[in-house]
Amino acid sequence: MVDTKTIRRRDFLAGIAGVTGMAAFGLPFVPKLAVAATPAIEAAPEGAAIARVGIYPALGISRVGGSQKWFYAPELPGVPANPEGGFKDGSSLIKKQVQRFRVFAFDAEGRVIKELTAADAKIEWRVHVANTKAAWYGFVNAHDNGANAPGMPTRMRNQYFASNEQREKMLVIDPGAVTISGTEVNWTGEDSAYAMKGRFWDSVDVGLGQVRTDADGRLLVVPADGISRSPRGTAITNFADNDGWHDDWCDGPVDAKVTLPDGQVLDADGAWIACVGPDFAPEIPSISTLYDVIENMNWEQKWVEPPATPLSFRQHIYPTFRRLALMEWVSAASNLRQGWLDVGDFSSEAYLAQLADPSEANKAFRQKVFSAFRDPYNMGPNAYKEEHFKIPLMPGDGVDHNGSPLQWFQFPKLQYERLRLWAEGAFDNDFADVALDQVTDLDQLPVEQRPHALTEAALEPCSGGAFHPGVELSYYLRLPALYARAADPEAEAFRIARGNRASLVQNVGRILDFTTATTGEDAPIGPQMAGDLTRWMGLPWQPDAFSCQRVAMQTDFPVPVWWPALLPVDVLPEEHYNQLMRTDLSAEQRVKFFENRVWWARGVPGIGYHANASYWDGIRNMIAVWQQMGFVVQRPGPTDPDRPEAIPQQLFVEVGRGSMEQRFDWVADDGDMG
């Protein structure tokens, strides 16, 4: 059941498009379409012959949910998903995010001709996903940080299955490849021929989702339900590594064979799909995104050209400031940033106008703001102190190594370099680009921008660190060996390299460290096979999602947080929102409700009247109650004449939160005592 009515999405975007500059007082930074300029691709001349076809996005993201309703993953960079009716189905179940894949045609010079649909060619899709978490090694921390944050070797999960044959039979959930072709095939999801289902422990069927096609023959990868189980009832003992358990995350290659009307058959440049967990604040992007991380790797490898100056304020600078402005709705530390960091209000219209001013007279202001950002080049012995209270107040890869320069979150160097150029004034103020503000659909972009825009839109909502192990995927995505371009200079920069091992089980010895992860003919961080990306993540995924809330440090304020843009920490609950909207309350009372934020994960530890209310309660209970968690979404603020000025006209509110009490409402049946 699709839940994305085009009219609703267009109405939402049209409301945004009507904004020139900033909106009225107190409106948080609005979503702005901003398509990356790199890699630069030209449009082919009319009549150009098709020489190559490719699938986009190059790396797509589906998100699990227990509902049968679903919505499309974002397809416009800078514009979040906005499903009609919200992100839950009305019964507390989370809707699935479905990744849609398209095929584009190119000429011999690599110029974009058009998207190919079922009206232009026969497209045969092939998808092979798997879940190999239980057959992989445990996670402690990232392995690629060298002496600044040494990686800790880890052992195999479920190592009592000694042979590779046993591990494949018992621990690998492998549906095999599924093929699909045509229009609106399996549209209702009822055809078992297109289900992706494997087995775990040689006894339990585990669904990993299904494939469908839309009215134009595009591929839809529908994720699973987000279920985690232990067939033997094994206890949860760790945030990331629990033997005897499975979940239903998965990943793997996406391929297409395209037959043109003249009989020419082309194999498309392949893509990859990763089916991961929900984004509980989908309108609030991470400070650094997974796209930023991969783009940075491409830049450092010189696989793409650096953006020329002057930079675009809208494309290169505004997204970072907008993300900062929105962090206050999911993190108390960010909400109080002005006080402890002495910077202005990033959600202020006047502050934005000053940020967007490239004049020499405004340079001192820009330099002051820039100095508040953590410097990723500072790797000195005192960096952990010098950079501590800078933006963003989030732990880094080296959180397990007290005093490490990586103890705190590091911006990708390209993102930081763009901020440096902004501070120097090397940018144009193109914020109010009327033409871009009118774009509400991918097909409204110039054809040469559409392929890469899909990749950027897919990766932009994902967390770009810290990688401990991360939210969706982990640190290996910043390593060049993972990409096809490492071996083929003609390959596109964002495409995952393909492996050809005989088995999905990969045994590199008793322990996994950086050396074993990156060396050898079939190095784990190298060409990939089905299940290889998600295997590094927590098993099951829910305990890690709960674990990464606040982080206890030696100083008690401000409290650093992990990934509040996807797993919120401090939120404005709907109950408080309803009260602050009341016109019969005093201004003082309404402001109290507005300012009183609560813990997003409240009730997860300590469910019931006699629970321990401990961390261990939390990581166990999240497996059962994750669909009860609320989503942080935008809601209008008060508009009455007595509206307190302290309350903005647009708010981000936690909605859809269900009950955390796991009780049964008993009803007497025949034969029972009434």
Side-chain angles (χ1 to χ4, degrees), residues 259-265:
T259 304
L260 301 175
D262 63 1
Q264 183 182 10
V265 179

Side-chain angles (χ1 to χ4, degrees), residues 45 54 90 134 142 168 235 244 293 335 358 364 440 443 502 590 599 652:
E168 183 154 31
V293 169
N335 189 38
T440 61
D443 291 338
R590 296 170 76 180
W599 187 24
F652 282 83

Side-chain angles (χ1 to χ4, degrees), residues 72 85 106 108 115 131 212 221 244 264 287-288 327 336 399 401 437 521 546 557 560 582 591 615 635:
Y72 285 119
F106 301 80
E115 180 188 355
N131 178 308
R212 306 178 188 181
V221 180
Q264 183 182 10
I287 295 226
S288 294
M327 284 301 107
L336 299 169
V399 70
H401 299 277
D437 284 338
E521 183 177 351
F546 171 80
F557 184 82
R582 290 175 55 183
V591 170
Y615 167 77
R635 290 286 186 266

Side-chain angles (χ1 to χ4, degrees), residues 579-594 638 640 642-645 647:
Q579 294 301 310
L580 69 85
M581 295 292 289
R582 290 175 55 183
T583 58
D584 61 323
L585 294 181
S586 68
E588 180 182 17
Q589 286 294 324
R590 296 170 76 180
V591 170
K592 284 183 178 180
F593 279 113
F594 167 67
D640 60 281
D642 297 323
R643 175 183 68 87
E645 289 190 358
I647 302 178

Side-chain angles (χ1 to χ4, degrees), residues 87-123:
F87 292 89
K88 291 194 172 183
D89 65 1
S91 63
S92 293
L93 296 180
I94 295 174
K95 298 173 184 176
K96 305 177 193 294
Q97 174 177 295
V98 171
Q99 182 64 69
R100 176 163 54 181
F101 288 92
R102 306 174 188 234
V103 172
F104 281 84
F106 301 80
D107 68 5
E109 303 297 320
R111 297 171 296 190
V112 184
I113 298 174
K114 61 180 291 186
E115 180 188 355
L116 298 179
T117 68
D120 307 296
K122 180 182 178 182
I123 304 173

Side-chain angles (χ1 to χ4, degrees), residues 401-439:
H401 299 277
N402 195 36
S404 166
L406 299 179
Q407 188 166 345
W408 305 108
F409 179 88
Q410 299 287 334
F411 282 96
K413 290 178 179 177
L414 178 58
Q415 190 177 7
Y416 187 80
E417 177 68 11
R418 286 167 171 163
L419 290 172
R420 186 190 66 79
L421 291 169
W422 163 81
E424 291 293 325
F427 70 98
D428 289 329
N429 182 7
D430 57 353
F431 179 80
D433 187 324
V434 176
L436 287 179
D437 284 338
Q438 302 305 313
V439 174

Side-chain angles (χ1 to χ4, degrees), residues 87-331:
F87 292 89
K88 291 194 172 183
D89 65 1
S91 63
S92 293
L93 296 180
I94 295 174
K95 298 173 184 176
K96 305 177 193 294
Q97 174 177 295
V98 171
Q99 182 64 69
R100 176 163 54 181
F101 288 92
R102 306 174 188 234
V103 172
F104 281 84
F106 301 80
D107 68 5
E109 303 297 320
R111 297 171 296 190
V112 184
I113 298 174
K114 61 180 291 186
E115 180 188 355
L116 298 179
T117 68
D120 307 296
K122 180 182 178 182
I123 304 173
E124 298 174 85
W125 298 96
R126 183 179 186 272
V127 181
H128 184 189
V129 300
N131 178 308
T132 61
K133 284 184 176 184
W136 189 232
Y137 294 77
F139 183 89
V140 178
N141 59 359
H143 284 142
D144 65 331
N145 290 313
N148 287 317
M152 301 177 189
T154 57
R155 66 173 194 165
M156 289 180 178
R157 293 165 175 161
N158 297 293
Q159 61 176 276
Y160 37 80
F161 294 116
S163 72
N164 291 342
E165 293 75 19
Q166 280 184 311
R167 297 181 69 79
E168 183 154 31
K169 179 181 180 181
M170 301 296 288
L171 305 176
V172 172
I173 305 169
D174 180 16
V178 179
T179 60
I180 190 170
S181 182
T183 60
E184 295 190 328
V185 178
N186 192 34
W187 182 250
T188 62
E190 298 173 351
D191 193 334
S192 61
Y194 302 103
M196 301 181 293
K197 183 182 293 185
R199 286 181 72 77
F200 181 72
W201 218 261
D202 198 29
S203 61
V204 178
D205 289 332
V206 181
L208 299 183
Q210 57 179 248
V211 295
R212 306 178 188 181
T213 60
D214 69 6
D216 293 303
R218 302 168 179 137
L219 173 70
L220 277 60
V221 180
V222 181
D225 296 336
I227 294 171
S228 302
R229 293 192 182 100
S230 171
R232 297 179 65 99
T234 309
I236 292 289
T237 60
N238 188 272
F239 82 99
D241 304 312
N242 291 284
D243 289 349
W245 280 81
H246 76 81
D247 61 22
D248 54 11
W249 284 25
C250 61
D251 69 279
V254 177
D255 295 295
K257 179 182 291 186
V258 179
T259 304
L260 301 175
D262 63 1
Q264 183 182 10
V265 179
L266 296 171
D267 290 323
D269 294 341
W272 208 270
I273 181 67
C275 301
V276 298
D279 179 355
F280 288 97
E283 298 175 46
I284 300 178
S286 297
I287 295 226
S288 294
T289 70
L290 198 54
Y291 180 84
D292 294 328
V293 169
I294 302 175
E295 184 189 32
N296 181 79
M297 182 276 302
N298 283 305
W299 172 67
E300 290 185 327
Q301 294 297 311
K302 298 182 170 56
W303 292 349
V304 297
E305 295 293 325
T309 55
L311 301 177
S312 160
F313 180 80
R314 179 181 182 128
Q315 175 189 319
H316 298 122
I317 307 303
Y318 173 73
T320 297
F321 290 148
R322 177 174 182 268
R323 297 165 195 171
L324 287 172
L326 298 180
M327 284 301 107
E328 67 179 80
W329 298 100
V330 288
S331 167

